[in-house]
Amino acid sequence: MDKRLQKIAAIEIVVLLAIWQVLASLEWIPAYLSSPYVVGREMWALLISGDLFTNAASSLYRSLISFLLVMVLGIVFGIVSGFFKPIGTFFQPIVDVLNPVPKIALLPILMVWFGISDTTRILLIFLTAFFPCFIATKDGVHGVKQVFVWAAENMGASKLQILWKVVLPASLPKIFDGLRVSLGLTFVMMFSSEMIGSSNGLGLGFMILLADMAGRTDLMFVSVFFIALLGFLFDRILLAVRARLLWWSENRG
Amino acid sequence: MKKGWKWLIEYQSLIWIVVAWELVVFLQIMPERLFPSLSKVLVVAFELITTGMLIDNLPITLFRVFAGFALAAVVGVPLGLLMSRSKLLNDLVQPIFSLGFPVPRVALYPILVFILGLGSASKITMIFLECLFPIVLNTYYGSTRVGKLYLWAAQNMGANRSQVFWRVLLPATMPSIFTGLKIALPMAFIIAILTEMIGATAGMGYLLTYMSASLMQEKVLACVVLITVVGYLLNLLIQKIQQKYVYWQ
């Protein structure tokens, strides 16, 4: 997004907030839709008391641990099963069957096995976010030019060196495409795993659940805004890392 | 016979998983209440079908999935195409999609429930919102990448605007549109299950939470199996449609 579009985006957000505020102050929309002023005030109060940070921190802890697991396991498994064909074909049917399953359906089962705990949530987020990363990595490895691999072999590189120095960098652009989808999913599942199964503890999704039960839509808007903000920020961070690592690649995020 | 053998080898990993699962049950490594055998799960799944539980809930979920998905396609495809044609529209809409894309939009669902209630309306709106993004973005990028040469050639040969659009631009964008639709349909199904699990009185997601309240793992697993089959079939459906209409790819 270039500078001009950023400016338009900023204007659009301000206009939307203004319309919302005007509608709310004229009481043309029902009171439960709150208003930007009230939401802002509540957000400030929560920021001062630090509640927002503790909730956001425990949500982030879950989603970032899962994302780290996805990154490591997804890329390693993706490269191994993309490079060594027999391993790839062995696991392919499992991936085909598990990929389209809405992983959230596994929540009741995981809850019975591991309890209503962080383990369950991290596992659920991991299961959802793993497949896009794995599939993109595998695709990326398949797209690596055979000539590169042959050249490395000719120059006497070992299998490990080929994987680390040739295959991994060459498939990085694809890997980042997959990681971006995975990152988005970790935030979706972070919210869902906290909403469903009456969790108790800390978390932004739990904040929404509590506010919902109390009928406090203003607090719901605060948490929704914060989840959106976190999702947006981490996407930007990923794109920045990508731009730094892939300076040689033509299509930068 | 040889074909069957080849098939077995290709799908051996699934068979190994089933064998491992049954071994865990047989050796009673996990208590059976928590880890029921797969044959039992299949029997329960079959019971769910014959007792009409599936017929009561599946059509409701599918209706929500297809309503939201169809709305998103009907709005998203023209919007994406127009964005690539009109600079003004692109300037207005592009920032919203760029900002909204990385945001977890499901978080809005509880607020949608406040506005639209717990029924189908809030769920269809959520599915629509979630599907709109991949459809619009893929259509837009697809149609901006249509080779200028095709458009020039068509114009040179005297095609008017609507002919260029229907005969050249739309078919050339078709593969990208289907890429978007292929991302959106499984997404629609996931959101349907998710929103039904958060709160509903009917649907597959509701059936799942209802069964999990019984604390009988074989019933929950049977639901998961049925949901998996439906998800797999939906995937297959969109692939078949793509093969039929984008046969030149």
Side-chain angles (χ1 to χ4, degrees), chain A residues 71 74-75 79 132-133 136-138 140-141 167-182 238 242 246:
Chain A
M71 254 196 319
I75 293 176
I79 285 185
C133 176
T137 309
K138 203 175 155 204
V141 174
V167 174
L168 178 67
S171 38
L172 261 187
K174 270 268 170 158
I175 293 177
F176 268 99
D177 289 348
L179 280 180
R180 197 169 178 208
V181 177
S182 293
L238 188 74
R242 179 201 161 105
L246 291 181

Side-chain angles (χ1 to χ4, degrees), chain A residues 130-144:
Chain A
F130 174 77
F131 288 98
C133 176
F134 172 81
I135 291 169
T137 309
K138 203 175 155 204
D139 274 0
V141 174
H142 283 231
V144 173

Side-chain angles (χ1 to χ4, degrees), chain B:
Chain B
M1 185 62 206
K2 209 172 172 193
K3 208 175 164 193
W5 191 242
K6 219 175 134 189
W7 189 87
L8 265 185
I9 298 227
E10 202 185 324
Y11 288 91
Q12 55 171 315
S13 54
L14 290 179
I15 298 164
W16 287 120
I17 286 190
V18 172
V19 170
W21 185 291
E22 293 297 305
L23 260 183
V24 170
V25 176
F26 185 73
L27 298 174
Q28 295 184 324
I29 297 170
M30 293 269 283
E32 213 207 328
R33 238 156 43 87
L34 298 185
F35 209 87
S37 78
L38 284 177
S39 50
K40 212 167 162 189
V41 170
L42 286 182
V43 169
V44 176
F46 189 71
E47 270 170 20
L48 285 181
I49 297 172
T50 49
T51 54
M53 292 282 236
L54 188 72
I55 304 301
D56 285 344
N57 292 295
L58 185 60
I60 295 169
T61 303
L62 285 183
F63 164 69
R64 286 167 183 159
V65 168
F66 282 112
F69 175 76
L71 265 176
V74 167
V75 174
V77 172
L79 185 62
L81 286 170
L82 282 173
M83 272 165 71
S84 72
R85 298 281 92 191
S86 145
K87 190 157 180 346
L88 177 70
L89 189 67
N90 187 29
D91 281 351
L92 283 177
V93 179
Q94 180 77 18
I96 301 176
F97 280 97
S98 303
L99 281 180
F101 178 71
V103 167
R105 294 171 290 280
V106 253
L108 281 175
Y109 179 67
I111 291 169
L112 280 180
V113 170
F114 255 95
I115 303 172
L116 296 168
L118 260 179
S120 284
S122 61
K123 296 180 172 68
I124 291 173
T125 313
M126 195 66 243
I127 294 169
F128 165 75
L129 273 180
E130 205 53 59
C131 289
L132 193 64
F133 279 77
I135 293 177
V136 167
L137 289 175
N138 277 292
T139 308
Y140 170 71
Y141 286 116
S143 76
T144 49
R145 282 194 204 120
V146 171
K148 284 266 183 297
L149 281 180
Y150 295 147
L151 299 177
W152 288 337
Q155 275 165 0
N156 251 352
M157 288 185 260
N160 59 30
R161 280 185 83 110
S162 85
Q163 276 175 324
V164 170
F165 179 81
W166 288 108
R167 295 284 176 85
V168 182
L169 192 70
L170 190 62
T173 316
M174 245 350 184
S176 313
I177 294 177
F178 265 98
T179 311
L181 296 180
K182 256 161 78 180
I183 300 172
L185 189 59
M187 190 69 108
F189 187 56
I190 292 172
I191 300 294
I193 299 287
L194 178 62
T195 51
E196 282 169 2
M197 283 177 80
I198 292 178
T201 47
M204 291 307 283
Y206 164 74
L207 186 64
L208 187 69
T209 40
Y210 177 75
M211 286 302 176
S212 71
S214 74
L215 284 180
M216 286 165 85
Q217 282 293 77
E218 61 262 29
K219 286 189 176 173
V220 185
L221 276 167
C223 273
V224 173
V225 168
L226 291 176
I227 289 173
T228 308
V229 172
V230 174
Y232 188 76
L233 288 179
L234 281 177
N235 249 3
L236 213 63
L237 177 75
I238 191 98
Q239 268 170 21
K240 289 285 168 223
I241 294 175
Q242 183 185 25
Q243 276 162 18
K244 191 154 190 276
Y245 287 99
V246 203
Y247 50 84
W248 63 85
Q249 267 276 307

